[in-house]
């Protein structure tokens, strides 16, 4: 589709992301229709409640220094990211489907958008003082330029690391399953008893890798959620919690007197 000098194409990632979004919306609709869920939940309602109850735990554990009402403002973003990532990863486990998260440009675009959003939150909460994370307090002036550069590089690489981690884990697992399943199918089609017996080894490995890939798909959604909470904590609190931790440690060491 051409609009002026721009060309827009409806690709496989676009189609399967729309399918994922449709599945999530249908699941939530059927669970919450007719005024809400039942007092005795069924399996689908339990799944939605499990996803809903999971998000506040990392938010409360990883994001400190904020009131509960302020933390709840981050709940929709983190909840949508967890649900969308989980369904996208699991959708790739269906045979003949398309794994959106195994494409680097997709994961990179998602990680960059989250990184930009967290940076905006940091400036909204702290103003220009947000840039103070580049230079911790008490640093000698001659070392300041080097420390600013050392802090800036890993901070910018957060946008890359999230996308690379998700892409590498999903691509590596799917490639291993495809190679071993192709090898098992080739040995099975050779019409030889020896090859048929030898095919059991790759077949069991494929089944084991499929189970492992299922666990990785769930784990990567959890890791993405924890990473967002950690980045939000760094953006909102800067170095404050670190200094509070050091002060509490010093107070604890002061009060703990050795027994005679």
């Amino acid at each position: 589709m051409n609009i002026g000098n721009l060309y827009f194409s409806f690709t496989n990632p676009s189609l399967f992301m729309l399918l994922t979004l449709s599945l999530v919306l249908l699941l939530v609709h059927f669970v919450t229709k007719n005024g809400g869920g039942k007092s005795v939940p069924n399996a689908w309602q339990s799944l939605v409640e499990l996803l809903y109850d999971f998000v506040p735990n990392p938010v409360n554990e990883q994001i400190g220094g904020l009131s509960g009402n302020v933390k709840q403002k981050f709940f929709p973003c983190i909840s949508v990211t967890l649900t969308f990532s989980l369904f996208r990863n699991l959708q790739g486990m269906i045979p003949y489907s398309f794994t959106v998260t195994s494409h680097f440009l997709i994961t990179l675009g998602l990680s960059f958008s989250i990184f930009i959003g967290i940076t905006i939150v940091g400036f909204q909460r702290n103003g220009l003082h947000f840039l103070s994370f580049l230079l911790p307090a008490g640093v000698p002036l001659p070392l300041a330029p080097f420390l600013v550069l050392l802090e800036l590089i890993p901070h910018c690489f957060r946008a890359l690391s999230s996308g690379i981690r998700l892409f590498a884990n999903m691509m590596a697992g799917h490639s291993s399953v495809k190679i071993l399943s192709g090898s098992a199918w080739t040995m099975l089609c050779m019409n030889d008893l020896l090859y048929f017996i030898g095919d059991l080894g790759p077949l069991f490995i494929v089944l084991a890798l499929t189970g492992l890939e299922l666990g990785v798909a769930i784990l990567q959604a959890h890791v993405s959620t924890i990473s967002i909470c950690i980045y939000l904590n760094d953006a909102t609190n800067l170095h404050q919690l670190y200094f509070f931790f050091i002060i509490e440690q010093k107070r604890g060491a002061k009060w703990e007197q050795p027994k005679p």
Side-chain angles (χ1 to χ4, degrees), residues 6 28 42 89 117 144 155 169 196 204 221 225 252-253:
L6 300 176
V28 175
N42 55 21
N89 295 344
H155 178 73
N169 281 280
F196 181 80
F204 284 128
T225 305

Side-chain angles (χ1 to χ4, degrees), residues 51-52 55 74-84:
L51 293 175
Y52 183 85
V55 177
F74 302 135
F75 178 84
C77 174
I78 299 173
S79 178
V80 169
T81 303
L82 170 68
T83 307
F84 196 54

Side-chain angles (χ1 to χ4, degrees), residues 156-177:
C156 293
F157 265 91
R158 287 181 172 183
L160 287 173
S161 62
S162 299
I164 292 174
R165 180 181 60 248
L166 181 57
F167 153 75
N169 281 280
M170 300 306 296
M171 174 60 75
H174 283 58
S175 299
S176 301
V177 172

